[in-house]
Amino acid sequence: MIAGPAAVTYCLAGKLIGDIRALKVSADAIVAGDVDRPVEVDCKCEVGGLAESFRKMVGRLNSNILRMNVLAYRDSVTGFTNRTVVQHVLTKALEGNAPMPLAVMFIDLDGFKAINDTLGHDAGDELLRQVSLRIVEEGLQRDRNAVDDCTTAYGELCDRPPEEIVFSRFAGDEFIVVLPGVTDEAQILKVCDRIQAALARPFNIGTDIAHVGASIGIARAPLDAQTASNILIDADMAMYAAKERGRGQAVFFDAEIRERLVERQRLELELRTAIEADQFVVHYQPKYDTKTLAVTGYEALVRWQHPRRGLMSPGQFLEIVEKNGQMCELGGLVMKKVVAQLKSWEKAGRKLPVAVNISPSQFRNPLLVERIKLLLETNRIDPSLFEIEITEQAAMGNYAEAAPKLERLREIGVRLAIDDFGMGYSNLTQLVNLPFDVLKIDKSLVDDIGVFPRSEVVIESLIHLAHRMGHTTVAEGIERQDQLDFLKSVGCDSVQGYLLSHPMAPEALSAEARFVQAEPVRNVA
């Protein structure tokens, strides 16, 4: 009678101790990082209840680990992997004595910044999402879940080289594609062609339509580089070379690209101090009355008076200024120089308006109107002599924001010109309602005069429309006599271009300037 209960007690105690030990083993495994270890305790007792609570805790822990890894390795906008994954994958692929042959494509969107500036960051994010899907589904011909994210079920980085194509948002409007096992140039170019074709179609962003392209830089391992960091640098440099060749290009890395990019980086560093050192000057290109060729005003064009390279045109540095975030600072400096020149000309009895180009980033600045007003009032400049040129894209890309700002500029007496009209962003309904004084016809349309009769019809119609709305018209980029003759025949008010005059330093201009270029000059300012 005594032995029976003792045996039962002993058995129950043994099972209890076993369950407690199993629970301790599971706890030790979790402490050691093995969160997949199952809690092998199943009894209807206090220890069983404790084990169930323990399972719930492990489940919550695993969920939190997954969530943290998603935040660490996933791009929050597109949902694809981020640059950390790319660097890890490339390291795994290229480490050891037998690195995996592969290609890295560095994709940068052409025209994204202008859309982001004009439509806003929410629209920019939506555009990035749509771009990502098109690249993957049409360019890479993969389902979004078929690309290799190189992570475990808990979102941790995998300990292996890539097994499939890897696609990541690297930064901003930059994307990376890793093609494991692919180094053939023709095969890579086919992928590039599909990506560029996919992005060529317009994107619907709410009620707006956006157009972007892609510049693609390509580097291959082990041909170009043998480490993750070096192959990314090489692909990045090849991408910049693609942009320099006119955008919308796919360029393979080579040694010449490296040399050019080193020079560009040197120029970028020099630009950071150039504004503070006041190394910029302003040249002025006259505008002429189409019928009389009398000077009606000037356009201010910035030049960099580099201490070693000499006088540099905007095309050599403005893109870098924009990238460095210095455009507002440089634009403010140009406006100050123009106002000082207007003051000097006024003292000499010379009163002609000067047009100043405003970049999209400058135009977005909420203090723009107040700063212009203060600058003109402080220097006692007639506001009608100060003309702001804003691109058609900036004016119409975010109409709701642009219209009231343009209205405030007109209220202080500043003249307003819509620049680059005809570049493809035209919305005539918005154009009718925008407050402005001058419509500038873009050089791309002027170049078609004498070549494409339909472009001539468009130009004539724009001039007629502008006049009916009470605006004056200016055509830019005049390089041939037949262009000037046509514009005169259809009633364009003013013209500017190398046929008539180069941009010149203030001291080279005269009040009666009627400089005529004998031969057209091709290197446009």
Side-chain angles (χ1 to χ4, degrees):
M1 292 176 61
I2 296 173
V8 171
T9 301
Y10 178 80
C11 291
L12 291 174
K15 187 177 186 307
L16 180 61
I17 292 171
D19 288 341
I20 292 173
R21 284 174 177 168
L23 196 57
K24 180 180 183 300
V25 170
S26 297
D28 289 342
I30 291 173
V31 170
D34 184 8
V35 294
D36 293 330
R37 180 73 171 263
V39 181
E40 296 176 347
V41 177
D42 186 17
C43 72
K44 297 180 180 180
C45 61
E46 285 80 359
V47 175
L50 181 60
E52 182 60 30
S53 298
F54 203 78
R55 289 189 190 95
K56 292 179 180 178
M57 181 190 73
V58 171
R60 175 62 66 88
L61 178 61
N62 286 337
S63 296
N64 288 338
I65 290 173
L66 177 60
R67 187 177 300 111
M68 288 187 293
N69 286 331
V70 166
L71 292 174
Y73 305 128
R74 291 276 177 178
D75 172 52
S76 61
V77 174
T78 66
F80 289 97
T81 54
N82 60 20
R83 65 189 301 163
T84 302
V85 175
V86 169
Q87 291 166 332
H88 174 79
V89 163
L90 290 174
T91 299
K92 286 294 178 183
L94 301 178
E95 66 184 359
N97 297 324
M100 171 186 282
L102 55 81
V104 172
M105 300 167 57
F106 201 116
I107 304 170
D108 185 271
L109 300 184
D110 300 327
F112 174 78
K113 183 172 181 6
I115 294 169
N116 206 38
D117 289 344
T118 54
L119 299 184
H121 293 286
D122 289 342
D125 287 348
E126 174 59 24
L127 180 57
L128 291 174
R129 283 188 284 271
Q130 293 188 32
V131 164
S132 299
L133 285 176
R134 282 201 199 173
I135 291 176
V136 170
E137 295 175 353
E138 299 180 34
L140 304 179
Q141 296 182 332
R142 296 290 191 277
D143 182 88
R144 67 168 299 152
N145 297 317
V147 292
D148 195 348
D149 62 10
C150 298
T151 57
T152 68
Y154 292 104
E156 298 167 319
L157 294 175
C158 60
D159 188 25
R160 60 168 175 78
E163 298 172 346
E164 244 287 0
I165 291 175
V166 177
F167 175 76
S168 295
R169 182 187 175 203
F170 198 67
D173 60 339
E174 298 172 341
F175 302 89
I176 293 289
V177 173
V178 179
L179 302 174
V182 178
T183 57
D184 179 67
E185 184 173 324
Q187 189 176 350
I188 296 168
L189 287 177
K190 284 182 180 179
V191 178
C192 293
D193 289 343
R194 290 199 301 264
I195 290 173
Q196 289 169 333
L199 300 185
R201 303 193 312 276
F203 292 85
N204 294 316
I205 311 295
T207 58
D208 296 295
I209 295 177
H211 297 264
V212 294
S215 294
I216 305 175
I218 305 150
R220 291 170 286 179
L223 177 65
D224 301 317
Q226 290 78 44
T227 67
S229 58
N230 285 344
I231 198 168
L232 285 171
I233 291 171
D234 291 350
D236 189 19
M237 288 195 286
M239 181 273 293
Y240 275 109
K243 285 189 175 294
E244 289 176 352
R245 296 180 190 182
R247 302 178 181 247
Q249 307 285 322
V251 174
F252 285 85
F253 173 81
D254 58 31
E256 183 182 345
I257 287 175
R258 185 187 299 278
E259 293 174 8
R260 287 203 308 270
L261 262 294
V262 168
E263 183 64 18
R264 177 189 173 95
Q265 289 167 354
R266 186 178 295 115
L267 197 65
E268 187 173 329
L269 290 173
E270 292 171 342
L271 265 170
R272 295 188 184 278
T273 59
I275 297 176
E276 184 178 342
D278 196 18
Q279 294 176 359
F280 293 93
V281 297
V282 178
H283 284 193
Y284 297 85
Q285 185 172 37
K287 300 177 186 178
Y288 297 87
D289 181 279
T290 309
K291 294 179 181 178
T292 66
L293 291 186
V295 176
T296 59
Y298 302 96
E299 179 178 0
L301 298 165
V302 67
R303 302 287 188 268
W304 183 6
Q305 187 64 63
H306 194 280
R308 290 184 296 101
R309 305 167 191 262
L311 197 66
M312 298 177 65
S313 67
Q316 295 174 278
F317 62 85
L318 274 189
E319 184 180 346
I320 303 176
V321 171
E322 187 76 58
K323 179 184 175 184
N324 286 352
Q326 296 175 293
M327 192 60 80
C328 288
E329 188 178 1
L330 178 59
L333 178 64
V334 170
M335 286 194 287
K336 289 178 182 178
K337 288 181 177 291
V338 168
V339 165
Q341 189 60 59
L342 283 169
K343 193 72 174 176
S344 175
W345 281 340
E346 185 179 18
K347 290 180 181 178
R350 188 176 178 186
K351 298 183 67 173
L352 285 172
V354 175
V356 179
N357 292 283
I358 298 294
S359 72
S361 55
Q362 280 181 273
F363 189 67
R364 274 196 354 266
N365 191 322
L367 300 177
L368 175 69
V369 178
E370 288 70 21
R371 287 177 177 174
I372 291 176
K373 181 180 180 181
L374 179 62
L375 184 62
L376 296 176
E377 289 178 348
T378 302
N379 292 275
R380 297 181 180 178
I381 297 295
D382 180 355
S384 66
L385 298 178
F386 194 82
E387 184 175 298
I388 294 293
E389 288 191 4
I390 176 175
T391 64
E392 172 193 358
Q393 178 183 350
M396 298 184 184
N398 190 347
Y399 176 80
E401 179 182 324
K405 186 170 289 188
L406 292 173
E407 194 62 62
R408 293 202 306 275
L409 284 167
R410 289 193 80 184
E411 287 172 0
I412 65 176
V414 171
R415 286 170 55 82
L416 301 173
I418 302 298
D419 195 14
D420 296 339
F421 195 83
M423 288 288 284
Y425 296 87
S426 308
N427 183 320
L428 293 180
T429 302
Q430 293 180 350
L431 179 69
V432 168
N433 295 315
L434 275 178
F436 67 96
D437 304 287
V438 181
L439 184 69
K440 292 197 73 175
I441 300 171
D442 186 69
K443 183 181 183 299
S444 61
L445 282 175
V446 172
D447 286 343
D448 288 346
I449 293 173
V451 181
F452 298 109
R454 288 187 176 183
S455 294
E456 295 178 2
V457 173
V458 171
I459 292 172
E460 185 174 4
S461 300
L462 287 176
I463 292 170
H464 180 68
L465 176 65
H467 288 167
R468 290 292 300 270
M469 292 191 299
H471 308 312
T472 58
T473 54
V474 177
E476 56 187 355
I478 312 302
E479 296 183 354
R480 305 192 314 265
Q481 185 64 43
D482 66 306
Q483 294 171 337
L484 179 60
D485 293 340
F486 173 79
L487 291 165
K488 180 179 179 180
S489 71
V490 296
C492 185
D493 300 296
S494 298
V495 290
Q496 65 182 103
Y498 282 171
L499 176 69
L500 302 167
S501 177
H502 290 276
M504 293 180 279
E507 56 272 17
L509 296 168
S510 66
E512 299 79 27
R514 290 194 184 186
F515 176 81
V516 177
Q517 182 73 30
E519 293 292 335
V521 180
R522 299 301 179 189
N523 56 326
V524 180

